[in-house]
Amino acid sequence: MTIPFPFTAVVGQDDLRLALLLNAVSPAVGGVLVRGEKGTAKSTAVRALSALLPEVPVVPGCRFSCDPASPDPGCPDGPHETGGGVERPARMVELPVGASEDRLVGALDIERALSEGVKAFEPGLLADAHRGILYVDEVNLLHDHLVDLLLDAAAMGASYVEREGVSVRHAARFLLVGTMNPEEGELRPQLLDRFGLTVEVAASREPDQRVEVVRRRLAYDDDPAAFAARWAEDEAEVRARIVAARELLPSVRLGDGALRQIAATCAAFEVDGMRADIVMARTATALAAWAGRTDVLAEDVRQAALLALPHRRRRNPFDAPGLDEDKLDETLEEFGGSEDDDPDPDPGPDGPGGGGGQPDPGEGPEGGDTGARPEAGEGGQPQPSGGGEQSAVRASEPFRAKVLSVPGIGEGVAGRRSRARTEHGRTTGARRPQGALTKLHLAATVQAAAPHQRARGRSGPGLVVRRDDLRQATREGREGNLVLFVVDASGSMAARQRMSAVKGAVLSLLLDAYQRRDKVGLVTFRGTGADVALPPTSSVDAAAARLESLPTGGRTPLAAGLLRAHDVLRVERLRDPARRPLVVVVTDGRATGGPEPVALAGRAARLFAADGVASVVVDCESGPVRLGLAGQLAGELGGTAVTLDELRADSIAGLVKDVQRRAA
């Protein structure tokens, strides 16, 4: 058995340890989302938490961890009699990113269900995690259909397995803990809101602290048992403190004054819904219990806000997480001082619950503010071809973009953009299963088995079903694509108002890509060549940051940009062959620099057409005289061209085109 790294031996990361401990004291807080760069002890701290949790009483032999004091009346292994339980350590169950639906929720034996009417059910990870911890590493990379199942279980405290009229239900209440690296993409808002608390972690920049991290890790790797023994006393103290805080928790008083501060804080930061208020109240109560107090103080409310609100105030993936602590202090001061608050100024025993919130990730320089002031380009006019580099221009306000999709039917990762054969969606037919049966097509199965009933000696009402009779349902849903942006940053695009509109359009498409679960990449071209500003990634906010700081100027090497994009697709096709690409070229269609730039750009564009790559050209040409070069480029690519105005989902031009298409 692997000996986990001791929780008390983790160096620094005070906010991370506090958030985990608060959930150990009060599981009703709702779990923790740990955001941060790689190598910051996220997984180490989470795995170490399970060793601190008190043991759990369970019904002997129950695969669903029923509480002997109040067993689940609907337990598939039940009914159970009250009392007579045994204790076991609290479980920490890890959900792999690539897990199947059956592994998460459990699986029914469809063949026995059809032929014998027996609910033969094999529990999944949700059953294993009941009354324990469900840990999802890289939770932002979890497939959408698994996220939906997690949301349902977290909301209802139960898991349901439905297969063609046969259903199984069991309790599934767990502490949800997730870790993620924001560089790899953001979470869906619905799942983000399910985490009670969030913590931003980063590696220390203090040499002494880094030295201590390395020293402890090397000592643990050399002899885990001896290292754990060194920290056994500290671990026992924390475990005892958790037990004491749990016993004190029902006695903690949340006064009207603290409730007003909580409500005022949530209103001031404009968080959606009421879950934030409830989580803050539970967190503040747990903080008081952890500190050994029976009254909730303003400092508890402040710390609860720093843990519970940062991930709930984001309106889109481009918003920086964190809270304005000055605004928080002003709100607490304005609504504090009630007579219901504890008049004793002594805050009680010291502990991680008293004061000291997490650092505000929003502080410090932000990429969106760099170079946003008009410093070059007199009168907003574009630089002449070959002119010098201009400073970056801030993007205009994003809008709801028109849906761009890849034609045909793919078989890529589930998403929300293009048509695809997926495990989820509307049923379009049936086929013989290849491997394990996941979605039974009942009518096709009965149709396949019916002609053989007499030969198989059927004598009763049950249908005699063999493995060869089973049919897998084929379904059509939506897939996520690789959206590769090829952005012209040359002098012909350098007019400040024009480039601002272009960046706003790309930002809108990036927001659309986030909502549709796409991967995105960014290639820019100007001057004498092209650069991969961002290799294909799931982090659309990383793409937005690169776009915001993009300077303009120089000639227009359109061919170089297209060739570089073609190379990116070639490499990505080897890494992820099932994910179909969509190339979005943002340009006015001009090509300058080098010998025969227009002809060279045409030959580069025809490479995409030969490979059958779906493409869209966003025509950025403006002014009363238009050359129509972007439309010609779209023809060479084998794609379509849209103007910046037509890119808006609610544009009049787009509505007219839709009406004309329907009329034709």
Side-chain angles (χ1 to χ4, degrees), residues 340-619:
D340 289 330
D341 292 334
D342 188 352
D344 184 2
D346 182 5
D350 293 333
Q358 67 188 64
D360 183 2
E363 291 181 357
E366 297 179 7
D369 192 47
T370 303
R373 300 170 183 81
E375 298 173 356
E378 293 295 332
Q381 296 300 316
Q383 293 282 346
S385 180
E389 179 179 304
Q390 297 190 29
S391 60
V393 179
R394 187 184 294 276
S396 63
E397 191 69 22
F399 51 82
R400 189 166 65 90
K402 192 174 184 178
V403 180
L404 307 176
S405 61
V406 179
I409 301 179
E411 295 182 349
V413 176
R416 295 194 180 90
R417 184 172 297 278
S418 305
R419 294 173 58 199
R421 298 182 184 92
T422 62
E423 289 294 320
H424 301 268
R426 63 185 182 89
T427 301
T428 58
R431 60 175 174 81
R432 291 181 181 272
Q434 298 172 350
L437 179 71
T438 56
K439 297 291 183 181
L440 179 75
H441 195 296
L442 182 59
T445 299
V446 172
Q447 188 175 5
H452 309 290
Q453 296 304 297
R454 180 176 296 178
R456 294 173 182 173
R458 173 185 170 186
S459 58
L463 191 67
V464 181
V465 179
R466 303 280 173 82
R467 175 69 186 177
D468 291 342
D469 300 327
L470 300 179
R471 293 295 183 267
Q472 173 84 24
T474 57
R475 296 170 181 258
E476 183 178 307
R478 295 282 171 175
E479 67 177 359
N481 299 111
L482 166 60
V483 183
L484 182 61
F485 295 92
V486 185
V487 180
D488 184 351
S490 64
S492 65
M493 302 280 288
R496 301 196 70 82
Q497 184 176 1
R498 183 179 181 187
M499 197 61 196
S500 177
V502 168
K503 286 187 176 182
V506 178
L507 200 63
S508 303
L509 292 171
L510 284 172
L511 182 59
D512 182 68
Y514 162 74
Q515 295 168 341
R516 300 187 187 281
R517 316 306 290 170
D518 296 317
K519 291 180 70 174
V520 297
L522 179 62
V523 173
T524 63
F525 59 93
R526 65 187 183 91
T528 59
D531 297 310
V532 181
L534 184 71
T537 175
S538 297
S539 178
V540 295
D541 51 343
R546 303 290 173 88
L547 178 73
E548 189 72 24
S549 60
L550 178 67
T552 57
R555 294 186 179 276
T556 313
L558 177 57
L562 294 175
L563 291 174
R564 180 58 63 91
H566 190 267
D567 287 341
V568 170
L569 294 184
R570 177 178 55 80
V571 173
E572 194 64 20
R573 194 176 294 117
L574 297 175
R575 294 175 177 169
D576 191 357
R579 190 182 290 269
R580 295 189 295 165
L582 173 64
V583 176
V584 180
V585 185
V586 185
T587 181
D588 56 10
R590 290 181 173 84
T592 60
E596 300 182 346
V598 176
L600 186 60
R603 289 197 293 272
R606 287 192 287 275
L607 291 175
F608 291 86
D611 291 342
V613 176
S615 59
V616 176
V617 177
V618 180
D619 185 359

Side-chain angles (χ1 to χ4, degrees), residues 11-80:
V11 179
Q13 308 296 10
D14 294 339
D15 293 324
L16 168 58
R17 291 188 294 153
L18 174 61
L20 292 172
L21 289 170
L22 291 177
N23 276 274
V25 171
S26 175
V29 166
V32 186
L33 174 65
V34 187
R35 298 164 48 94
E37 59 198 27
K38 51 188 176 293
T40 50
K42 301 188 298 291
S43 300
T44 299
V46 174
R47 292 189 176 99
L49 175 67
S50 60
L52 296 177
L53 297 180
E55 291 191 335
V56 178
V58 297
V59 174
C62 178
R63 298 174 298 167
F64 301 88
S65 301
C66 281
D67 186 351
S70 57
D72 180 11
C75 176
D77 284 355
H80 302 300

Side-chain angles (χ1 to χ4, degrees), residues 205-246:
R205 299 297 184 257
E206 292 294 330
D208 291 342
Q209 196 171 71
R210 295 174 75 96
V211 167
E212 187 61 24
V213 170
V214 175
R215 181 181 291 119
R216 294 186 185 183
R217 186 69 210 190
L218 293 178
Y220 170 77
D221 291 340
D222 288 342
D223 191 343
F227 185 82
R230 285 171 48 195
W231 294 90
E233 185 176 344
D234 293 334
E235 293 281 286
E237 289 179 2
V238 173
R239 191 178 298 110
R241 188 173 176 184
I242 291 174
V243 173
R246 283 188 172 186

Side-chain angles (χ1 to χ4, degrees), residues 297-312:
L297 305 181
E299 65 190 64
D300 300 323
V301 176
R302 185 182 193 278
Q303 181 68 68
L306 292 171
L307 293 172
L309 297 188
H311 61 302
R312 291 188 166 89

